[in-house]
């Protein structure tokens, strides 16, 4: 995944990736360790890193990733509460898409 991520960025695509939810150094995970990607950790409602988010020098920034009201797969109107860095990363992708 590291090489594919780097190739996308080299082609001009902005790539955001979740840092991971193991509570350890994100630099051990692919593609979170790829420097070309924007690696996103999860923050809580107090703007602190969550207990489960991966951390370290490979994490570029944090975004909301705890108890986030999200669309669910049950139906077009279904909602659920989600947590994790895969919830946080789309926030950054959305902001990056504006620029």
């Amino acid at each position: 995944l590291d090489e594919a991520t780097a190739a996308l960025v080299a082609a001009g695509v902005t790539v955001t990736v979740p840092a991971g939810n193991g509570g350890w150094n994100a630099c051990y995970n692919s593609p979170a360790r790829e420097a070309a990607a924007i690696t996103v950790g999860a923050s809580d409602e107090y703007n602190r890193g969550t207990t489960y988010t991966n951390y370290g020098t490979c994490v570029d920034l944090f975004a909301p990733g705890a108890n986030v009201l999200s669309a669910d797969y049950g139906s077009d109107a279904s909602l659920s509460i989600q947590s994790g860095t895969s919830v946080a990363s789309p926030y950054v992708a959305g902001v990056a898409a504006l620029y």
Side-chain angles (χ1 to χ4, degrees):
L1 288 176
D2 293 342
E3 290 178 17
T5 300
L8 281 169
V9 174
V13 177
T14 300
V15 178
T16 64
V17 298
N21 299 319
W24 59 72
N25 191 334
C27 295
Y28 297 139
N29 293 354
S30 175
R33 66 178 161 232
E34 176 51 54
I38 301 171
T39 300
V40 184
S43 62
D44 65 16
E45 59 270 20
Y46 302 105
N47 204 29
R48 299 179 302 211
T50 62
T51 57
Y52 51 81
T53 191
N54 287 355
Y55 54 84
T57 59
C58 292
V59 176
D60 294 301
L61 64 128
F62 290 81
N67 303 316
V68 176
L69 184 62
S70 302
D72 198 19
Y73 61 87
S75 74
D76 290 345
S78 293
L79 300 173
S80 64
I81 302 296
Q82 302 290 326
S83 295
T85 59
S86 60
V87 176
S89 184
Y91 276 101
V92 177
V95 172
L98 296 173
Y99 300 94

